[in-house]
Amino acid sequence: MKMPKLGVGTFRLKDQQAEESVSMGLALGYRHIDTAQIYRNEADVGRAIAKSGVPRDELYVTTKIWIDQFAQGKLIPSLRESLDKLGLDRVDMTLIHWPSPNDEVPVAVYMSQLAEARQLGLTREIGVSNFTIAHLRQAMDAVGADAIGTHQLEVHPYLQNLKVRAFCREHGIALTGYMPLAYGRVVQDPALQAIGRKHGATAAQVALAWQLQQDIAVIPSSTRRANLAANLDALKLRLDADDMARIAALEDGGRIANPDIAPAWDA
């Protein structure tokens, strides 16, 4: 099963809120669920999956390994713990959530463990998140470009990450964009609203369609059923060349995810 292009993100969702969001998403027809160890909601996601009745082979589940599990011998046991919480015998994609801060643990150390986890059948695919081009090169050296199933990075109209995206395209690495709605900023954007009116769509749907038409998977999150349903409709929206150019012009370096552990970003 290939990664569905539109998924349910669970960042900042906890406990019952996370379970209900995933449950609503699955009921609406979503089949791609994205979580992470540091979100501390894998058990909540697992409960929603178990209650949904959706056959396992119809689901695409992603989790991410946190930075304190990179040392030799730690990654695979941590992934097994994630599987226990999720109630699954494997996930479909496992990502390195961030590069090791200050490169304390070499990329080859954690990427080789991730590749071993795939060989053990704990995950069908492996990938990375928040990597710079330099980190991507090291990951490719460690496991090969063909082994990297996706690079998950922040992408929205205000931070388009063109340099990193071009590098991934050049090397055949698929892209997943997180924070595609820029934490609600897109909803208030006059340009996106105008494009939406032209197509009978919302500004949020326009922002999602803009990424989807560039073959970038997206994982917006919501706790409202109406928003989850509306996001699905972005799959039907087709923007024209003028729309795409107008959205591309919105870039302003508006990075949102920039914690202390972040690497030195590519300009």
Side-chain angles (χ1 to χ4, degrees):
M1 180 182 180
K2 290 183 65 176
M3 177 189 288
K5 288 300 182 184
L6 184 58
V8 175
T10 62
F11 178 51
R12 289 191 170 175
L13 302 185
K14 297 281 179 66
D15 306 321
Q16 189 70 17
Q17 190 179 56
E19 183 178 338
E20 289 178 355
S21 176
V22 173
S23 294
M24 287 188 291
L26 293 173
L28 287 166
Y30 285 87
R31 293 297 179 262
H32 174 190
I33 309 297
D34 183 277
T35 183
Q37 293 176 341
I38 197 63
Y39 299 171
R40 295 184 170 85
N41 62 16
E42 289 172 315
D44 308 308
V45 170
R47 281 193 298 273
I49 290 171
K51 292 176 181 177
S52 72
V54 177
R56 176 64 183 94
D57 60 5
E58 293 181 14
L59 289 176
Y60 193 100
V61 181
T62 296
T63 196
K64 311 178 195 79
I65 305 294
W66 191 239
I67 59 174
D68 59 358
Q69 303 300 322
F70 290 170
Q72 191 65 49
K74 294 190 73 172
L75 188 150
I76 288 174
S78 83
L79 180 53
R80 292 189 191 277
E81 287 184 22
S82 290
L83 294 176
D84 286 344
K85 292 174 183 175
L86 287 161
L88 303 174
D89 58 7
R90 63 163 173 77
V91 284
D92 299 282
M93 175 70 77
T94 303
L95 305 177
I96 297 298
H97 205 154
W98 291 83
S100 181
N102 301 312
D103 295 318
E104 292 174 5
V105 181
V107 172
V109 170
Y110 47 85
M111 289 304 299
S112 62
Q113 292 179 82
L114 196 57
E116 183 182 353
R118 184 185 57 188
Q119 293 169 352
L120 291 170
L122 304 179
T123 183
R124 286 203 305 111
E125 296 187 86
I126 63 174
V128 299
S129 181
N130 298 303
F131 273 35
T132 64
I133 289 174
H135 288 113
L136 285 165
R137 290 188 187 280
Q138 293 174 61
M140 289 161 50
D141 288 344
V143 300
D146 291 348
I148 302 173
T150 197
H151 181 199
Q152 186 177 121
L153 69 171
E154 182 179 346
V155 182
H156 46 71
Y158 318 107
L159 183 74
Q160 298 176 28
N161 258 316
L162 295 177
K163 185 180 287 188
V164 179
R165 284 168 51 194
F167 181 86
C168 289
R169 296 295 190 210
E170 179 185 350
H171 295 280
I173 299 171
L175 295 164
T176 303
Y178 69 79
M179 293 182 182
L181 305 181
Y183 271 167
R185 181 180 171 189
V186 303
V187 176
Q188 305 300 326
D189 191 288
L192 296 175
Q193 290 173 343
I195 294 169
R197 286 193 296 271
K198 173 177 155 184
H199 294 280
T202 66
Q205 289 167 336
V206 168
L208 295 175
W210 171 75
Q211 288 202 50
L212 292 166
Q213 283 183 220
Q214 297 178 82
D215 200 27
I216 303 172
V218 287
I219 48 171
S221 62
S222 180
T223 57
R224 295 183 58 198
R225 186 183 184 93
N227 289 344
L228 288 164
N231 290 345
L232 274 177
D233 286 336
L235 291 164
K236 307 170 191 172
L237 178 58
R238 296 302 300 174
L239 304 176
D240 61 34
D242 288 343
D243 300 330
M244 297 294 284
R246 191 172 180 185
I247 298 169
L250 296 175
E251 165 72 51
D252 63 8
R255 187 180 297 278
I256 298 170
N258 197 24
D260 291 342
I261 62 169
W265 301 112
D266 296 289

